[in-house]
Amino acid sequence: MKTAVVIPCYKVESHINNVVVSLPDEVDVIILVNDASPDGTRQIIEEIAAENKKVVVLNHSENQGVGGAMATGFQEAIRLSCDAIIKLDGDGQMDSRYIPPMIRILESGEADFVKGNRFFDRNHLRQMPAARRIGNLGMGFLIKGASGYWSISDPTNGYFAIRTSTLQRADLNRLSERFFFESSLLIELYYAGARIREIPMPAIYANEKSNLSITKTLLTFPPKLITATVRRLWLRYFVYDFNINSLYLLTGTPLFLFGLIYGIVKWIHYASLGIAAPTGTIMLAVLPVVLGLQILLASIQYDMTSKNPFEL
């Protein structure tokens, strides 16, 4: 397979040279996308390109985020007729020794999309900052629900390899330009019917500084993931198919929401009066919540165990 490595470059002047030098011989094209980096990154990658014929340098006049940089890299890799594309960060956190096994998995036809899993080895997991580990686990669950890929363990990992043919089946116009890029790619790959496999690999944490704002992530990611989940369930169980899980969603959702909203309204009402709510009122709120929750749990179980209908 003709393989391209796409590296989004933003404030990586201290790391990018080592990253490029470490790339294995299996890589045919190295695409460095300078995302309007304000430091000396552009000069350094142009010097690298002058010495290495594999390197292609692309420059953004304005910062477009990791998603925008990857979109530019994808287009160049497709133009160069590459069969596989690997996304590698320029800050040195991703070990390039895992590129050959990722390529072999794509070549074997075992998967269309191969990504790293940082949670496989507990010893390496301890090296990850606690806040990042907890955030990845919580956000990872939401991403699984939004993408439909319940079996993956590390959905937030941005180290991946993908077949170009699979990438072209996805709706690239729906990919996010910023840090939601990796999540949006997984979500769109579901509709492309991509088969995914993870391989264990540790992340490398040294003196690099992340450009990701934790506060901004917590405020922006959940609404996007909830919207993507609703869209996927609507398309999966009401547009392209109608089955038992469609009935679960039609009954469980209104029951749960009615009991929850009714309970909150009555709790506020009787609390303002300073009296206890009648038993019947309490049960009228509790029973729909419990029953709706049980039905929704059955719906989640069905979704987790069912096959992706878009898979070729």
Side-chain angles (χ1 to χ4, degrees):
M1 302 183 77
K2 183 178 180 180
T3 303
V5 169
V6 178
I7 305 178
C9 302
Y10 186 76
K11 294 183 179 180
V12 292
E13 60 180 358
S14 301
H15 304 277
I16 188 61
N17 187 64
N18 291 333
V19 171
V20 173
V21 170
S22 70
L23 294 176
D25 295 335
E26 285 86 345
V27 175
D28 301 294
V29 182
I30 304 168
I31 302 173
L32 305 180
V33 184
N34 169 37
D35 194 25
S37 184
D39 58 3
T41 294
R42 177 170 182 170
Q43 179 180 351
I44 292 174
I45 63 176
E46 288 179 347
E47 292 174 355
I48 294 173
E51 299 177 359
N52 191 333
K53 294 182 179 180
K54 291 184 178 182
V55 175
V56 176
V57 173
L58 303 173
N59 291 295
H60 284 170
S61 57
E62 296 181 1
N63 180 267
Q64 299 180 26
V66 62
M70 287 304 300
T72 300
F74 285 158
Q75 293 170 3
E76 182 67 10
I78 292 172
R79 188 186 70 82
L80 295 173
S81 301
C82 295
D83 303 300
I85 302 172
I86 295 170
K87 186 251 183 182
L88 191 72
D89 286 345
D91 57 8
Q93 286 192 14
M94 298 173 177
D95 193 337
S96 60
R97 290 178 300 174
Y98 291 93
I99 290 178
M102 295 172 82
I103 295 174
R104 287 195 292 270
I105 292 174
L106 294 181
E107 287 180 329
S108 68
E110 185 179 338
D112 307 302
F113 183 81
V114 185
K115 61 188 301 301
N117 179 358
R118 297 163 295 179
F119 300 147
F120 183 81
D121 190 322
R122 288 184 297 174
N123 292 324
H124 289 298
L125 185 59
R126 293 191 186 100
Q127 299 176 17
M128 183 183 293
R132 184 177 297 189
R133 187 163 62 244
I134 294 172
N136 282 336
L137 291 173
M139 203 65 67
F141 181 80
L142 295 178
I143 296 172
K144 291 179 184 182
S147 67
Y149 288 112
W150 290 100
S151 61
I152 58 177
S153 301
D154 188 9
T156 59
N157 194 328
Y159 193 177
F160 64 78
I162 185 172
R163 288 178 175 272
T164 306
S165 57
T166 302
L167 181 66
Q168 291 176 303
R169 291 201 307 269
D171 186 353
L172 301 183
N173 294 323
R174 295 187 65 90
L175 297 183
S176 174
E177 290 188 346
R178 299 293 170 180
F179 288 105
F180 193 67
F181 163 74
E182 284 86 359
S183 302
S184 66
L185 179 60
L186 271 179
I187 291 168
E188 294 309 314
L189 286 179
Y190 177 83
Y191 302 108
R195 296 164 299 152
I196 293 181
R197 178 178 165 182
E198 290 183 303
I199 60 174
M201 60 175 66
I204 303 170
Y205 298 101
N207 61 344
E208 68 283 341
K209 294 182 179 180
S210 175
N211 297 306
L212 179 64
S213 168
I214 296 179
T215 302
K216 188 175 181 180
T217 298
L218 293 176
L219 292 175
T220 60
F221 275 38
K224 292 181 179 180
L225 292 172
I226 292 172
T227 301
T229 301
V230 172
R231 173 175 175 257
R232 183 180 71 83
L233 294 177
W234 169 252
L235 293 175
R236 169 73 173 86
Y237 296 108
F238 296 98
V239 176
Y240 294 107
D241 192 16
F242 191 90
N243 53 37
I244 186 63
N245 201 35
S246 308
L247 296 178
Y248 286 159
L249 292 169
L250 284 175
T251 55
T253 303
L255 277 172
F256 180 79
L257 291 177
F258 168 78
L260 184 64
I261 296 173
Y262 179 81
I264 292 175
V265 169
K266 290 301 180 182
W267 179 80
I268 294 174
H269 172 70
Y270 285 106
S272 63
L273 296 177
I275 59 175
T279 302
T281 301
I282 295 174
M283 296 305 298
L284 191 57
V286 172
L287 287 178
V289 167
V290 173
L291 183 57
L293 181 60
Q294 290 295 321
I295 296 174
L296 290 177
L297 288 175
S299 172
I300 294 174
Q301 182 184 28
Y302 181 95
D303 190 56
M304 293 175 69
T305 56
S306 62
K307 181 181 178 182
N308 182 357
F310 302 101
E311 186 174 315
L312 299 178

